[in-house]
Amino acid sequence: AQTVTQSQPEMSVQEAETVTLSCTYDTSESDYYLFWYKQPPSRQMILVIRQEAYKQQNATENRFSVNFQKAAKSFSLKISDSQLGDAAMYFCAYRQLGSGGSNYKLTFGKGTLLTVNP
Amino acid sequence: GAVVSQHPSWVICKSGTSVKIECRSLDFQATTMFWYRQFPKQSLMLMATSNEGSKATYEQGVEKDKFLINHASLTLSTLTVTSAHPEDSSFYICSAGTQGTLNSPLHFGNGTRLTVT
C-alpha cells in the first residue's frame, strides 16, 4: 500500500519569506500523481499544485512550486513571498494512475500546519 | 470551475439516531465519489469509495452497516451514519471526480461537522 509521510507537523515563516514543506512517499508504481492541498480554518480543501510522475519538470503555480525527486520519492512544496493568507494546514497526497473508481482515491499525509507571521 | 455541494455543513444529533449527509456535483457528472473522515488536527482518512450504480467499496476497519453509502445518480451520493454514537462525532468530507479525467478527483465538498450528543 502507498504511504505518504510529512515529517513536519508545524512550520512557521515570516511574511514575504520563503518556506519549504517536506513530503515523502512510498510506492511500487512507476506512474502516479502527487498533489498538495491546502486546508484553511474553513476546512475547505483547496488544490494548490499537482505533479504527474512521468513529467520530469517540476510543477509551478505562481508563488507555489514543487521539488519532485522521483528516485528519492520526495515531493516538497516551496511557497515564495509568503502571505498571511497562506496560513493553513497543508496536505501532501498521492494518487495512483489507472482507470477504475478506486484508483482515483487520494492517500494523504498527516499534514503540516503553516503559520505565517506578520 | 466544478463545484461539489455538501449538505448539511453541520449537524447535531442524539445518540442512537441516524443522520444523512448529501454530496452533490453541481456542474459535472461524478462517476466516483469518496467519503473521508477527519478528526481535529488530523489528516483525512478515506472511509469508502462509491461508484454510481454499484455498491460502495469500504476501507478496512470501516463498518459498512454503520456508514451506509448510496450513489444512485451521477450527481448525488449520500452517507448515512446509522445509530450514531458520540465517537462518530467528526468532520466528514466528500470528494467527487469523473472517471477518465486525468487529474480526478480534484473537487471537495465543504465538509459536514457531525456532533453526536
Side-chain angles (χ1 to χ4, degrees):
Chain A
Q2 294 84 10
T3 59
V4 178
T5 302
Q6 293 178 250
S7 59
Q8 306 154 315
E10 298 184 18
M11 291 282 286
S12 63
V13 63
Q14 290 296 126
E15 195 174 3
E17 297 294 308
T18 296
V19 64
T20 298
L21 308 184
S22 300
C23 173
T24 59
Y25 58 94
D26 186 32
T27 182
S28 58
E29 303 292 328
S30 58
D31 287 323
Y32 44 87
Y33 302 103
L34 296 165
F35 304 86
W36 277 98
Y37 280 90
K38 168 185 177 181
Q39 188 180 42
S42 67
R43 304 192 80 168
Q44 172 68 46
M45 294 293 287
I46 301 167
L47 178 65
V48 175
I49 199 166
R50 57 179 173 244
Q51 174 82 42
E52 291 87 352
Y54 59 87
K55 291 185 177 179
Q56 294 184 342
Q57 185 173 5
N58 290 323
T60 61
E61 286 288 342
N62 300 314
R63 298 183 294 108
F64 299 88
S65 61
V66 298
N67 183 2
F68 174 49
Q69 302 291 326
K70 190 173 183 180
K73 295 180 181 176
S74 171
F75 182 62
S76 61
L77 173 70
K78 185 172 80 172
I79 305 174
S80 303
D81 186 26
S82 297
Q83 301 175 0
L84 295 177
D86 294 333
M89 181 72 85
Y90 285 81
F91 292 102
C92 178
Y94 168 99
R95 202 208 95 191
Q96 68 185 58
L97 193 68
S99 61
S102 62
N103 289 333
Y104 295 100
K105 68 180 180 182
L106 293 169
T107 300
F108 289 93
K110 291 188 175 182
T112 297
L113 180 63
L114 178 66
T115 302
V116 180
N117 301 311
Chain B
V3 176
V4 174
S5 175
Q6 188 172 340
H7 179 81
S9 57
W10 62 273
V11 59
I12 301 173
C13 70
K14 292 185 177 181
S15 187
T17 62
S18 296
V19 60
K20 180 184 287 187
I21 303 169
E22 294 186 348
C23 182
R24 294 181 182 272
S25 56
L26 298 185
D27 55 358
F28 68 101
Q29 293 184 328
T31 52
T32 305
M33 288 187 174
F34 301 90
W35 288 95
Y36 292 87
R37 183 174 182 175
Q38 186 180 31
F39 290 106
K41 298 185 179 180
Q42 293 190 23
S43 187
L44 283 73
M45 299 301 297
L46 181 65
M47 299 175 66
T49 302
S50 73
N51 294 301
E52 185 269 335
S54 63
K55 290 183 178 180
T57 302
Y58 290 82
E59 296 298 303
Q60 191 173 9
V62 177
E63 299 176 62
K64 60 181 66 177
D65 294 331
K66 180 170 188 60
F67 299 100
L68 300 179
I69 291 173
N70 183 281
H71 193 164
S73 77
L74 284 170
T75 59
L76 174 64
S77 176
T78 60
L79 168 66
T80 301
V81 183
T82 63
S83 186
H85 292 285
E87 56 265 31
D88 299 324
S89 298
S90 189
F91 191 69
Y92 295 87
I93 308 175
C94 71
S95 175
T98 301
Q99 189 162 336
T101 301
L102 186 64
N103 293 317
S104 175
L106 296 177
H107 317 296
F108 284 84
N110 286 339
T112 298
R113 183 182 303 278
L114 170 64
T115 300
V116 184
T117 61

